[in-house]
Amino acid sequence: MGTVGKWKISWGYICASLMIILLGSFSLSQAKIGSSDLFSWIYNQLYKILPYLFGGIYILKNKKITRTKIFDLFCMGLCMIGILCLISIFEMLSSGRENPNLISGLNIFLIPMIISFLAFALMDKKQIYYMMTGILVISFIAYLLSLGGASSITLKTLQTISFSSSYSPFESHVFAGLSAALSAYFIYYRENKVITIVSILFVILTFKRASVVFALGFIIVSLFCVWKDSKTNKKIVNISVIIFTVLTMVYAFFMNPEHITKLNTFFVKYFNLNTFELTMGRNTLYSRLINSGFISAGIDSSWCYSADIEMDLVKVYIEVGFLGLLIVVAYFWQFAKANWYAYIYVLSIFFNLLTSHSFHTTTGWIVRYILLLSLLSYSSEMSTLTLKSLLKKRFGIRKNKRQF
């Protein structure tokens, strides 16, 4: 906290408020209201300014840099981006092709990381909760506006939802990433019941099946699993890095047009399910890219040939190879070392990155970083519910006293 004359300045709350404006303006720009263009302009300007602004505030507040886990993770992230840049340059030189998307592709990793890490360093736990609450409230209102208002959610429309066929009139890919990260945060730091319920409702309504399933898993783990706050076993994290690296390579192998036909025959024969349904059409996107004559020129070079293949880990693998993939996977799994709740959340992220896409959803990643950094730094003050505690609450059982 600084002072200007008689006024006290809380840099943390200023930072939190700017983050609310940033992510809130993005959400409102998607709300299909008359001032959407204005909110989009505010978001784009703040997105460019905040890295410099937060950097300046951080330098004013901290005369020297203290090495912490958060600082080490930030440096590791910069190293990851640097290595991806070097691999991309090598790919361009070896292929003889230019990559006009290189800078923007690297910025997709860099800018959300800078904003999130600096914002987190400037705020305490209370200010972070204030920020996340503000983002949730504005984003949920914007989501309802994008549907045409809360009145659009009726019993009739609710009855059309089909989990098996993945249909919902309320589904939103724009708000899915934000809602999933916000619900995971408030399920763990459940200081306000109403806010927690709203966050859960938000992720359920946006109706990304994997996000809904994992949200229900987070509820169970947060409420009933006493081991959620225990430190994660490093060996399991390292094994997870290997598993997802290998899974990505295997997945890319079977998505190849040369092998997808055989895989399709197998699934139709034994499961009566074709690969188009299984991959939600992403095998077609991948085949289209390969058949276009794709030659890698580094990160985001596949966009020079076709639309996004919507499989982020596979995309990283075909653009920067095994080494680039391993570095990306290894970096993001470092956040899982905080505790088992963080491990499960990172697992949900990688399930999405393998089968879908989210790297280019910068707003979603800003909230994800804040959540993961919070799990590394702050434990939940809410106790885990056990059978014993539930019985005490329900029947008034007290220690060393028998009830008659």
Side-chain angles (χ1 to χ4, degrees):
M1 184 176 290
T3 59
V4 177
K6 296 180 180 180
W7 298 94
K8 290 184 177 180
I9 301 174
S10 175
W11 293 116
Y13 278 110
I14 290 173
C15 175
S17 299
L18 287 170
M19 291 288 280
I20 292 171
I21 295 171
L22 173 72
L23 297 174
S25 60
F26 169 81
S27 297
L28 290 168
S29 71
Q30 307 298 316
K32 300 177 182 177
I33 55 179
S35 51
S36 294
D37 290 341
L38 173 61
F39 289 119
S40 181
W41 181 84
I42 293 171
Y43 168 74
N44 288 326
Q45 297 308 309
L46 273 178
Y47 187 74
K48 296 173 185 176
I49 295 169
L50 285 187
Y52 304 102
L53 181 60
F54 287 167
I57 295 173
Y58 183 83
I59 292 170
L60 286 173
K61 278 193 67 180
N62 303 277
K63 294 182 179 179
K64 65 177 184 178
I65 296 174
T66 305
R67 184 172 178 180
T68 61
K69 289 181 182 179
I70 306 300
F71 179 75
D72 288 347
L73 274 171
F74 181 71
C75 291
M76 289 170 63
L78 293 179
C79 289
M80 174 194 73
I81 294 167
I83 294 171
L84 290 178
C85 182
L86 291 175
I87 293 173
S88 297
I89 293 171
F90 175 79
E91 292 282 359
M92 284 192 289
L93 293 174
S94 60
S95 66
R97 294 173 182 263
E98 294 183 359
N99 181 2
N101 300 322
L102 177 59
I103 300 301
S104 60
L106 294 173
N107 280 338
I108 288 299
F109 291 99
L110 180 63
I111 305 302
M113 187 178 74
I114 291 176
I115 291 174
S116 305
F117 274 78
L118 286 174
F120 185 84
L122 292 168
M123 296 184 289
D124 59 26
K125 185 179 179 181
K126 187 177 180 180
Q127 292 158 352
I128 291 168
Y129 192 88
Y130 157 75
M131 180 199 76
M132 296 293 261
T133 302
I135 293 169
L136 172 65
V137 171
I138 295 174
S139 297
F140 187 63
I141 292 171
Y143 166 72
L144 292 177
L145 290 172
S146 72
L147 297 176
S151 60
S152 62
I153 304 174
T154 63
L155 181 61
K156 186 177 180 179
T157 53
L158 287 170
Q159 288 174 339
T160 64
I161 295 174
S162 172
F163 200 79
S164 59
S165 61
S166 188
Y167 171 77
S168 170
F170 313 119
E171 183 176 353
S172 172
H173 70 278
V174 173
F175 291 98
L178 269 175
S179 65
L182 288 167
S183 67
Y185 177 87
F186 288 108
I187 289 170
Y188 186 76
Y189 299 104
R190 51 187 194 279
E191 297 177 15
N192 185 299
K193 291 181 181 179
V194 174
I195 292 296
T196 302
I197 291 169
V198 170
S199 71
I200 296 169
L201 181 62
F202 193 12
V203 73
I204 291 174
L205 284 174
T206 54
F207 202 74
K208 290 296 180 181
R209 288 182 295 181
S211 297
V212 173
V213 170
F214 273 106
L216 295 175
F218 294 144
I219 293 170
I220 294 169
V221 170
S222 182
L223 288 176
F224 302 108
C225 298
V226 294
W227 42 263
K228 75 178 190 299
D229 295 315
S230 302
K231 196 170 180 63
T232 316
N233 189 307
K234 289 183 180 180
K235 289 183 179 179
I236 293 178
V237 172
N238 293 335
I239 291 169
S240 300
V241 171
I242 296 169
I243 288 173
F244 273 93
T245 302
V246 173
L247 268 178
T248 302
M249 296 167 68
V250 171
Y251 197 50
F253 175 82
F254 281 112
M255 286 294 102
N256 195 292
E258 297 178 8
H259 308 116
I260 195 68
T261 304
K262 295 178 182 178
L263 189 67
N264 185 67
T265 303
F266 173 80
F267 275 101
V268 169
K269 182 178 179 180
Y270 292 101
F271 302 101
N272 195 30
L273 184 70
N274 62 50
T275 50
F276 184 86
E277 295 170 326
L278 184 68
T279 65
M280 291 174 284
R282 291 181 176 90
N283 65 307
T284 303
L285 296 174
Y286 187 79
S287 296
R288 192 177 299 161
L289 172 64
I290 300 302
N291 292 330
S292 69
F294 168 70
I295 298 174
S296 176
I299 205 76
D300 265 8
S301 58
S302 61
W303 280 23
C304 297
Y305 294 83
S306 70
D308 189 7
I309 60 173
E310 298 184 6
M311 296 177 288
D312 277 345
L313 291 182
V314 173
K315 180 174 173 291
V316 169
Y317 175 55
I318 63 174
E319 289 176 344
V320 290
F322 168 76
L323 179 60
L325 172 67
L326 179 62
I327 289 168
V328 169
V329 173
Y331 173 68
F332 286 105
W333 270 104
Q334 298 308 304
F335 292 95
K337 292 180 179 179
N339 55 41
W340 285 106
Y341 188 88
Y343 179 91
I344 296 170
Y345 182 68
V346 173
L347 184 66
S348 73
I349 290 175
F350 271 86
F351 180 82
N352 178 266
L353 291 174
L354 179 64
T355 61
S356 187
H357 58 133
S358 69
F359 272 144
H360 283 74
T361 56
T362 52
T363 51
W365 272 100
I366 288 172
V367 179
R368 289 185 192 102
Y369 276 125
I370 296 294
L371 165 60
L372 291 168
L373 293 174
S374 295
L375 293 173
L376 275 165
S377 305
Y378 306 115
S379 60
S380 174
E381 294 177 0
M382 302 301 294
S383 61
T384 301
L385 294 179
T386 62
L387 180 60
K388 188 175 181 180
S389 65
L390 286 171
L391 287 172
K392 282 183 179 180
K393 189 174 181 180
R394 177 65 181 86
F395 300 106
I397 299 174
R398 297 179 182 176
K399 191 175 181 180
N400 299 327
K401 289 189 179 182
R402 297 183 66 182
Q403 304 294 311
F404 295 94

